């Protein structure tokens, strides 16, 4: 595992706090079903055949959180404080590149019973300058892959491709009421995926499937939540 990590934390004036972290990494290893009941590598005589990006690793991640209390520190009279004081705006942004994607042949041509055979490559699987509709229909070029030859495990290494990236912004608006010294009321509204950005799920990854290379689902749309909490 190798990475570049940058972290920025700043407490600014007038109740503004920013935290931001960026990671650029590469995580490599042998992908195999290990542990109790695990199948091990596809080819027990050649572990290096499964040496590739580790499942679940994300090469680039940038997360930022912001909390702003616009009227923090102001001295208000008690009636005005109930209206103007206690406001807080917060947000979290998450931007990620796509996680690794493994393609499967869908046929046990290796005759091992493991079911982890991958296709052979006969062309370029990359698609450039395509429209959004084309990307949904063909996240990669399906014609670039064919069934692995009988008695082989497949030319394509695990996690050789990438799933779509991820972009999300959550926003929170909150009002705190100091009813007494011991009793506080918090009223808030939270927007998850506030800008209703469409994040694509992974494409079909089995060569024998009719949906091979097709993206047919998306992540959650915008969700709005209202809540309150009484502390005493």
């Amino acid at each position: 595992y190798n990475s570049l990590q940058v972290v920025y934390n700043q407490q600014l004036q007038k109740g503004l706090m920013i935290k931001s972290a960026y990671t650029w990494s590469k995580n490599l290893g042998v992908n195999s079903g290990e542990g109790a009941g695990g199948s091990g590598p596809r080819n027990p005589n050649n572990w290096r055949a499964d040496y590739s990006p580790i499942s679940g690793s994300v090469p680039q991640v940038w997360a930022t959180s912001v909390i702003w209390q616009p009227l923090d520190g102001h001295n208000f009279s008690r009636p005005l404080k109930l209206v103007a004081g206690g406001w807080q705006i917060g947000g979290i942004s998450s931007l990620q590149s796509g996680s690794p994607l493994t393609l499967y042949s869908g046929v046990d041509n290796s005759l091992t019973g493991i079911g982890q055979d991958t296709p052979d490559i006969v062309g370029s699987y990359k698609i450039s300058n395509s429209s959004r509709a084309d990307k949904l229909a063909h996240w990669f070029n399906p014609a670039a892959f064919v069934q692995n030859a009988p008695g082989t495990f497949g030319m394509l290494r695990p996690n050789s491709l990438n799933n779509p990236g991820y972009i999300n912004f959550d926003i929170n608006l909150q009002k705190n009421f100091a009813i007494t010294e011991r009793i506080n009321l918090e009223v808030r509204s939270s927007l998850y995926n506030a800008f209703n950005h469409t994040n694509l799920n992974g494409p079909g990854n089995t060569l024998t499937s009719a949906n091979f290379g097709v993206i047919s689902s998306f992540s959650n749309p915008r969700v709005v939540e209202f809540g309150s909490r009484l502390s005493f």
Side-chain angles (χ1 to χ4, degrees):
Y1 176 79
N2 298 287
S3 69
L4 167 69
Q5 301 180 21
V6 180
V7 178
Y8 173 80
N9 294 328
Q10 184 68 54
Q11 178 77 47
L12 302 176
Q13 296 180 353
K14 297 183 179 180
L16 179 61
M17 181 174 63
I18 300 174
K19 294 184 177 181
S20 186
Y22 170 76
T23 300
W24 177 33
S25 65
K26 193 169 188 179
N27 192 7
L28 298 173
V30 176
N31 288 269
S32 64
E34 300 177 353
S39 58
R42 294 181 297 159
N43 184 355
N45 298 316
N46 183 12
W47 283 55
R48 295 287 298 183
D50 287 347
Y51 185 81
S52 57
I54 294 295
S55 298
S57 60
V58 180
Q60 297 191 68
V61 178
W62 183 20
T64 301
S65 66
V66 177
I67 297 178
W68 183 33
Q69 296 172 317
L71 300 176
D72 184 47
H74 287 70
N75 293 321
F76 297 106
S77 62
R78 183 170 181 79
L80 187 59
K81 186 176 182 179
L82 290 173
V83 178
W87 286 99
Q88 177 177 299
I89 302 172
I92 299 177
S93 66
S94 300
L95 290 80
Q96 302 180 8
S97 57
S99 59
L101 171 66
T102 297
L103 303 185
Y104 299 97
S105 66
V107 179
D108 184 24
N109 287 325
S110 63
L111 306 178
T112 59
I114 294 178
Q116 300 293 317
D117 290 12
T118 62
D120 285 341
I121 307 174
V122 295
S124 175
Y125 56 79
K126 296 182 179 180
I127 295 179
S128 60
N129 300 323
S130 58
S131 65
R132 183 180 181 84
D134 290 337
K135 290 181 179 179
L136 292 175
H138 302 291
W139 180 248
F140 50 81
N141 177 19
F145 304 99
V146 297
Q147 286 291 342
N148 54 311
T152 68
F153 297 90
M155 182 188 305
L156 187 69
R157 290 175 181 261
N159 296 327
S160 294
L161 281 70
N162 291 304
N163 285 302
Y166 178 82
I167 299 175
N168 184 74
F169 294 89
D170 297 334
I171 298 176
N172 172 269
L173 177 62
Q174 180 175 310
K175 177 73 168 71
N176 298 313
F177 297 91
I179 300 175
T180 67
E181 292 183 357
R182 298 182 57 186
I183 301 177
N184 291 275
L185 175 64
E186 173 190 297
V187 180
R188 65 182 182 274
S189 174
S190 300
L191 288 81
Y192 304 101
N193 190 10
F195 302 114
N196 204 29
H197 178 79
T198 301
N199 287 299
L200 307 178
N201 291 331
N205 62 342
T206 303
L207 183 59
T208 55
S209 171
N211 291 325
F212 185 60
V214 178
I215 295 177
S216 56
S217 62
F218 315 91
S219 62
N220 293 329
R222 181 194 297 118
V223 175
V224 181
E225 178 182 88
F226 297 94
S228 62
R229 182 175 66 179
L230 181 67
S231 302
F232 54 89

